[in-house]
Amino acid sequence: MKREQLVRAGLLLMVVAVVMALIVLDHLRGQDRPSALTAPDTAPSQEGTVAPAPTESDTVPPLLSPDGSVAPLPTKKRAAKGSAEPDVIPTPPPGIEDIACQKLQRSVDIRVVNFNTHRSFGGIGTVAAEISALDPDIVLLQEVDRFHGRTGGVDQVAYFADALGMESAFGANVTSGSGQYGTAILSRFKILNNENYLLPNAPGGEQRGLLRAGVEIGGQEVRIYTTHLQNKLVSLRESQARYVANILASEQLPIILGGDMNATANTATLAPLRAQVVDVWESVGSGPEGTGPNGSRIDFLLASPAIVPQRAQALRSAISDHARVYADLVVPAATECPTGVRN
């Protein structure tokens, strides 16, 4: 009986040992088996061909719904092998364009000078110094030569632009050989566009023009004009003034006009112009007002009603027979965001 009990005990120990050995072996095999997360894309099949790697549905047990049925496994979209995730361009936050526009919309203080240079006879360097002394932002010039023999073939526009550090536009009204004669606009602000309009002419008259430059001030375009009207023929001068006024009437942008009008304020020449723009001197002018050779005020600065004049003065020149007229103006902030540059 005792011997039988010993045999049974020995058999039980053997069974336990075998079971334990099987458990250990199974554990060791599990560590060597590839994981579903690190398995290669392909694995050799029994026939030696490349078989597809197991999918998530092959390695993950199905999920059971509450009613006992098999629920579908969640899927995850993956980028194609070898391809990169597409770049995502962030969407600007709402209102960013309005904020940027408001930064551009601001009033700007500027100084404008009008000057008939009398072709700078007697010293172009002195004329440049007289302009520079006023520290202007915009300069409107009449009686300007380019490459003309009578003034030494100098490009006076380029000379002034370089001396004052400004951009420039030129309107050639009379051409003689390689020489040109006309008007010019200088600007510290960017010149966006420019055009020269030839004014009406008649026998006995000299061809005159109206030069326009669009400049960017405070995030908006302001139209700058300069002209030099006929000096001898009154009817022709009045016709030219009406022509200029018609061009100004079609403008939808702020306007500044300067020039040698060869006529005083209360004349038929200035009437159509003053119907479109405001005579700055009448609002804020101070000191002697004479600008022309005979002491009359014939050189003008005029501006749109929305542009606010601060002060204006006339200063005689050591070179020219005309005075320099300058005005401090405030260009108001734009009422709309700029949509592009007009031509």
Side-chain angles (χ1 to χ4, degrees), residues 244-252 255 276:
V244 171
N246 287 336
I247 292 176
L248 301 184
S250 66
E251 278 287 12
Q252 298 179 357
I255 300 169
Q276 301 298 329

Side-chain angles (χ1 to χ4, degrees), residues 167 187-193 214-217:
E167 295 189 19
S187 174
R188 293 195 192 281
F189 303 102
K190 181 178 179 59
I191 295 180
L192 304 172
N193 52 68
V215 302
E216 184 179 358
I217 301 178

Side-chain angles (χ1 to χ4, degrees), residues 102 104-108 217-220 254 306 330-336:
Q102 290 171 6
L104 292 174
Q105 291 175 318
R106 66 187 190 277
S107 61
V108 181
I217 301 178
Q220 66 177 317
V330 179
V331 177
T335 57
E336 296 180 355

